[in-house]
Amino acid sequence: MQTVLLIGALGRMGKAAMSGLSNHKVITAGRSGDVDHKVDITNEESIRELYKKIGHFNAVVNTVGFCEYATFEEMTEEQWMTTVMSKMMGQINLVRIGQEYIADGGSFTLISGILNTKPIPYAIADATASGAIDTFVKTVAFELPRNIRINVINPTVLTEAWDVYGEMMSGFEPVPSTLVGKAFARSVDGFITGQVLFVDA
Ligand SMILES: NC(=O)c1ccc[n+]([C@@H]2O[C@H](COP(=O)([O-])OP(=O)(O)OC[C@H]3O[C@@H](n4cnc5c(N)ncnc54)[C@H](OP(=O)(O)O)[C@@H]3O)[C@@H](O)[C@H]2O)c1
């Protein structure tokens, strides 16, 4: 059993990740709601405070990555920066700061999403941030100290989110949260590192 810090636990992807972590002691974190610890992943100090507070942990699973949606023509710099500072830099900072605190041989598991390989209208910022995170994980795996591992889950849309995203995702087949949960389990429980774990129908 590992101690796993699950960030974004109350979101749809957080619940999917939780379904794969039943063998572990899970500490939940998020920006609001009924979680063990509050954190804002866009704020460096908030991330550091969280790691200091929780003490010993073996794994970080992050499922937070806020994105703005608009056409490229309409997307403002502010919308780009909001997406970059959450889905891209928020996740990079979780690893950059977290490497100081995580146990030897620990693991980070991040979130991207299928839209960087299967683009759709309005999702250019999400797709770009997802592509950056996939590349970050493949590359930083070579540099992490103390046998720390890192992977990213790149899922298609969840069945549980089809009511929200289904209309903009014509031609896509959703997958159940429990299947995506198994990818999180494979990252946390296994020995793989530097991998993009695609979960597609
Ligand atoms: N849902 C899908 O089908 C799907 C598929 C593939 C990839 N993804 C990716 O998964 C990620 C999460 O999506 P989701 O569907 O789980 O979204 P969601 O249901 O809206 O949940 C997002 C969670 O993250 C929290 N959060 C937002 N900004 C935060 C911040 N700065 N610091 C800490 N917590 C924050 C939210 O808290 P608040 O309630 O306080 O806002 C909420 O609990 C996104 O990057 C998305 O692109 C989702």
Side-chain angles (χ1 to χ4, degrees):
M1 187 175 80
Q2 301 182 40
T3 300
V4 181
L5 172 62
L6 173 57
I7 305 170
L10 300 182
R12 295 180 200 87
M13 195 52 69
K15 288 177 186 155
M18 184 68 105
S19 73
L21 299 173
S22 55
N23 294 337
H24 301 295
K25 177 186 171 195
V26 178
I27 299 170
T28 60
R31 190 170 51 180
S32 64
D34 187 14
V35 285
D36 296 328
H37 297 281
K38 295 280 160 49
V39 66
D40 177 353
I41 74 155
T42 66
N43 180 314
E44 234 181 285
E45 272 318 300
S46 173
I47 293 173
R48 194 173 287 283
E49 262 173 46
L50 172 70
Y51 286 134
K52 279 186 182 161
K53 259 191 292 183
I54 61 173
H56 174 88
F57 60 96
N58 308 94
V60 176
V61 172
N62 178 62
T63 62
V64 177
F66 179 80
C67 301
E68 292 280 1
Y69 293 87
T71 63
F72 180 55
E73 198 179 6
E74 287 169 353
M75 181 86 65
T76 63
E77 187 186 3
E78 194 182 345
Q79 287 177 302
W80 272 106
M81 288 312 292
T82 300
T83 306
V84 165
M85 292 314 291
S86 183
K87 193 157 188 170
M88 185 181 147
M89 280 318 299
Q91 296 204 90
I92 291 172
N93 282 335
L94 283 173
V95 178
R96 190 175 61 80
I97 300 167
Q99 65 177 333
E100 297 173 33
Y101 296 92
I102 196 165
D104 290 354
S107 70
F108 292 95
T109 305
L110 305 184
I111 187 70
S112 59
I114 203 74
L115 301 177
N116 67 318
T117 60
K118 292 185 174 176
I120 60 169
Y122 301 103
I124 189 161
D126 184 346
T128 302
S130 289
I133 287 300
D134 285 0
T135 301
F136 168 69
V137 162
K138 285 193 266 188
T139 310
V140 80
F142 294 108
E143 292 199 43
L144 287 176
R146 301 185 287 110
N147 294 321
I148 297 167
R149 299 182 299 108
I150 185 165
N151 299 292
V152 53
I153 312 304
N154 186 326
T156 191
V157 62
L158 298 171
T159 308
E160 290 78 357
W162 190 248
D163 57 335
V164 186
Y165 301 110
E167 203 173 322
M168 60 194 283
M169 298 191 70
S170 173
F172 285 73
E173 180 71 22
V175 293
S177 285
T178 48
L179 186 63
V180 177
K182 288 181 195 302
F184 282 98
R186 214 146 57 81
S187 174
V188 172
D189 299 345
F191 65 177
I192 57 173
T193 191
Q195 302 287 309
V196 180
L197 304 185
F198 291 98
V199 187
D200 200 358

